[in-house]
Amino acid sequence: MAEAIALSWDTLDENTQAIGMCLGVFALAPIYLALGRIEDDEVSEVLDTAIGDLENLHLLKGAKSGVYSLHPLVREFLQIKLREYPEAD
């Protein structure tokens, strides 16, 4: 399973990978993201694109508007990537 996730991961751009790693720190519970409240249009666009890309590759699941979840194995993969990330501090 990790190899399949890694193949998808490698297709993502740097911003989307960074956002994915941040999502990996959330607990295995619904993740509520109020993306509509972001006032900076550029940041909002980057987040919308990243969330869409993660959903398209099934690394993130959207349950309903603004509510997302991670499969436990995807979450573990994201946490590993975060630990390997040199700028994680």
Side-chain angles (χ1 to χ4, degrees):
M1 177 85 166
E3 289 180 29
I5 296 170
L7 288 174
S8 294
W9 181 258
D10 290 339
T11 67
L12 297 171
D13 64 37
E14 187 176 314
N15 285 331
T16 302
Q17 287 181 350
I19 291 166
M21 287 184 282
C22 290
L23 291 172
V25 300
F26 284 89
L28 287 176
I31 301 168
Y32 295 87
L33 299 175
L35 299 177
R37 293 188 177 186
I38 297 172
E39 294 181 11
D40 186 317
D41 290 338
E42 187 176 328
V43 171
S44 180
E45 184 177 332
V46 168
L47 286 170
D48 281 341
T49 300
I51 297 298
D53 290 348
L54 291 166
E55 282 185 294
N56 288 337
L57 293 173
H58 307 286
L59 298 175
L60 182 67
K61 182 179 178 189
K64 58 183 176 179
S65 182
V67 181
Y68 303 91
S69 64
L70 292 170
H71 186 281
L73 294 176
V74 172
R75 180 176 177 262
E76 182 179 340
F77 177 86
L78 295 172
Q79 289 176 344
I80 290 168
K81 286 297 182 184
L82 183 60
R83 284 192 297 272
E84 295 172 351
Y85 190 62
E87 297 176 27
D89 291 337

